[in-house]
Amino acid sequence: MDLRLNRYIAQAGVCSRRAADGLIARGVVHLNGAVVRDLGRRVAAGDVVEVEGHAVAPRAEHAYLALNKPLEVVTTLDDPQGRTTVADFVPAAKGRLVPVGRLDWDTSGLLILTDDGEMVHALTHPRFGVEKTYRATLRGQMETAAFARLRDGGIVLDDGTKTRPAKIRVIAQRRDESVVDVSIHEGRNRQVRRMFDAVGHPVVALERVRFGPVALGDLPLGTTRDLTERELRALQEIRERALARGVVR
Ligand code: URA
């Protein structure tokens, strides 16, 4: 093994490489018992790395799970109010997995969880927005003009920010309700609900059905599955592209 210290810490699932540089600069990282402040420092086999007094080591194997998150579950690992969290659905043998991004309490569907800190960072970085698809049930029958506004982008949301172009596919149209699949690259807070609010069709129900190369498929609600080799390779390619573009350090 010969790894840069920040990468070693990120691969141990502690944080991103950039955040690891911050820890090194703060003097809370020890290599073989001595504080390291050199950001370029490398780690060799047999070296002992400690972060804030705890020994850390990259895992040989990371865990990558897909969860079909039920409604009324918070996307955190601990909830001070004692509500059900996504961690409650992770089999104990998988250890402590972190959610890749978040779904609202009142959104169900696909959430990826992993202990690969670098992957979490690459997949959630706003400059490298992975495409996410949501099945949205909307109030009212959507007219062509509203579709066009969403497809074109540039809708000003309630906080003054503008949306980027979205892909829209109509699944069902009824007199008082529409069902659409909407694909976006952004991940701002309550993004999909705010987009449809802005065009006058509030979201009644929201489910994430795809995250980049990973589809929800028929995974039962409240259960998890390991990502397939193929899905993992596709996610790793995304990570490598983010690395090559300097989005992830
Ligand atoms: N957009 C939303 O409005 N909610 C989610 O949970 C995800 C995307």
Side-chain angles (χ1 to χ4, degrees):
M1 178 176 52
D2 175 39
L3 276 183
R4 259 180 85 131
L5 184 54
N6 62 1
R7 185 155 206 187
Y8 182 99
I9 294 171
Q11 287 190 357
V14 175
C15 56
S16 69
R17 280 198 246 177
R18 189 188 298 269
D21 281 342
L23 292 172
I24 297 166
R26 271 177 43 217
V28 296
V29 177
H30 286 74
L31 179 63
N32 300 328
V35 172
V36 201
R37 289 183 191 273
D38 171 8
L39 297 183
R41 191 63 180 267
R42 302 192 78 86
V43 183
D47 283 345
V48 177
V49 174
E50 288 163 279
V51 176
E52 292 175 330
H54 301 281
V56 299
R59 297 183 180 221
E61 289 268 319
H62 286 296
Y64 304 88
L65 283 191
L67 164 69
N68 187 351
K69 174 194 162 311
L71 296 172
E72 304 186 358
V73 170
V74 272
T75 308
T76 52
L77 299 184
D78 289 303
D79 183 54
Q81 297 170 45
R83 292 172 296 181
T84 306
T85 73
V86 292
D88 295 326
F89 296 90
V90 175
K94 296 287 179 188
R96 186 177 178 277
L97 305 190
V98 177
V100 177
R102 60 183 293 281
L103 290 177
D104 296 333
W105 190 74
D106 48 358
T107 302
S108 62
L110 178 62
L111 187 70
I112 294 172
L113 295 120
T114 179
D115 51 6
D116 180 348
E118 217 177 66
M119 185 66 96
V120 175
H121 187 55
L123 295 178
T124 54
H125 198 291
R127 272 181 53 210
F128 202 74
V130 174
E131 186 176 82
K132 286 143 295 220
T133 303
Y134 299 85
R135 180 147 300 180
T137 306
L138 312 169
R139 196 172 306 148
Q141 197 175 59
M142 257 187 102
E143 337 75 52
T144 322
F147 286 127
R149 288 182 64 203
L150 291 162
R151 282 192 178 129
D152 293 348
I155 296 175
V156 181
L157 296 180
D158 45 13
D159 61 358
T161 57
K162 283 190 184 164
T163 61
R164 286 172 35 206
K167 284 187 212 149
I168 308 271
R169 194 161 73 93
V170 181
I171 305 297
Q173 284 273 40
R174 293 182 275 272
R175 197 158 48 84
D176 53 358
E177 206 174 78
S178 311
V179 182
V180 300
D181 277 356
V182 53
S183 300
I184 57 170
H185 291 266
E186 299 137 291
R188 280 176 277 162
N189 191 28
R190 296 182 80 78
Q191 169 97 18
V192 173
R193 290 173 210 274
R194 289 157 69 212
M195 282 167 65
F196 285 108
D197 277 346
V199 295
H201 293 283
V203 168
V204 180
L206 194 62
E207 178 188 35
R208 181 152 69 195
V209 292
R210 177 171 278 282
F211 184 98
V214 184
L216 178 64
D218 54 9
L219 184 65
L221 200 62
T223 65
T224 60
R225 67 166 174 87
D226 290 322
L227 295 193
T228 63
E229 281 299 313
R230 195 178 182 168
E231 289 167 335
L232 253 181
R233 268 200 308 278
L235 289 178
Q236 269 149 7
E237 272 167 30
I238 293 174
R239 187 215 341 236
E240 292 312 314
R241 283 205 300 275
L243 280 168
R245 285 211 212 159
V247 167
V248 185
R249 293 185 53 223

